[in-house]
Amino acid sequence: MNASYKQCLTALRNCMEACNVCYHASLKEEQRMMQCIEFDRECADICSYAINAIQRSSKFVSGILTLCAEICEACGKECDTHDHRHCKDCAAACFDCAEECRKLV
């Protein structure tokens, strides 16, 4: 595995974990959180997949990271519209992850 992926892997793990926390906390909120929940699930899943792709040196890493950055950005924008601490934390992790992914594509 390429050593330059280390920061990206950390950002991917942080984003995946923040999305999972936000997802589970949002399930307990009102109906207005449904969009947030959907984005959290998508984002956590693509981050997990990107981690696996990097670790196995997939030839599709660049494309996966491009898609991951797009999904992270969308999730961050959605989470940033809510006042919950878990949403703000998730948005920050998503924006950081999108930036780290874009550095590698």
Side-chain angles (χ1 to χ4, degrees), residues 14 24 30 41 43 57 64-65 67 76 88 95 105:
N14 290 342
H24 290 292
E30 302 167 19
R41 257 319 348 118
C43 194
S57 299
I64 292 166
L65 291 178
L67 178 59
K88 295 300 184 187
F95 293 140
V105 293

Side-chain angles (χ1 to χ4, degrees), residues 42-94:
E42 292 289 333
C43 194
D45 287 348
I46 192 66
C47 286
S48 176
Y49 189 73
I51 289 167
N52 291 330
I54 289 170
Q55 289 175 336
R56 69 176 174 271
S57 299
S58 170
K59 65 181 178 178
F60 301 105
V61 167
S62 181
I64 292 166
L65 291 178
T66 298
L67 178 59
C68 188
E70 182 180 334
I71 293 171
C72 286
E73 188 77 26
C75 186
K77 286 178 182 177
E78 174 62 28
C79 286
D80 208 27
T81 67
H82 303 286
D83 291 329
H84 306 290
R85 178 80 268 152
H86 59 85
C87 286
K88 295 300 184 187
D89 291 345
C90 186
C94 286

Side-chain angles (χ1 to χ4, degrees), residues 9-40:
L9 283 167
T10 299
L12 286 161
R13 282 188 191 97
N14 290 342
C15 187
M16 180 181 65
E17 290 170 7
C19 284
N20 281 327
V21 168
C22 190
Y23 169 80
H24 290 292
S26 295
L27 284 173
K28 298 173 187 168
E29 301 292 332
E30 302 167 19
Q31 180 69 24
R32 65 184 176 84
M33 298 300 290
M34 292 309 293
Q35 181 80 15
C36 184
I37 292 167
E38 290 173 8
F39 277 118
D40 287 336

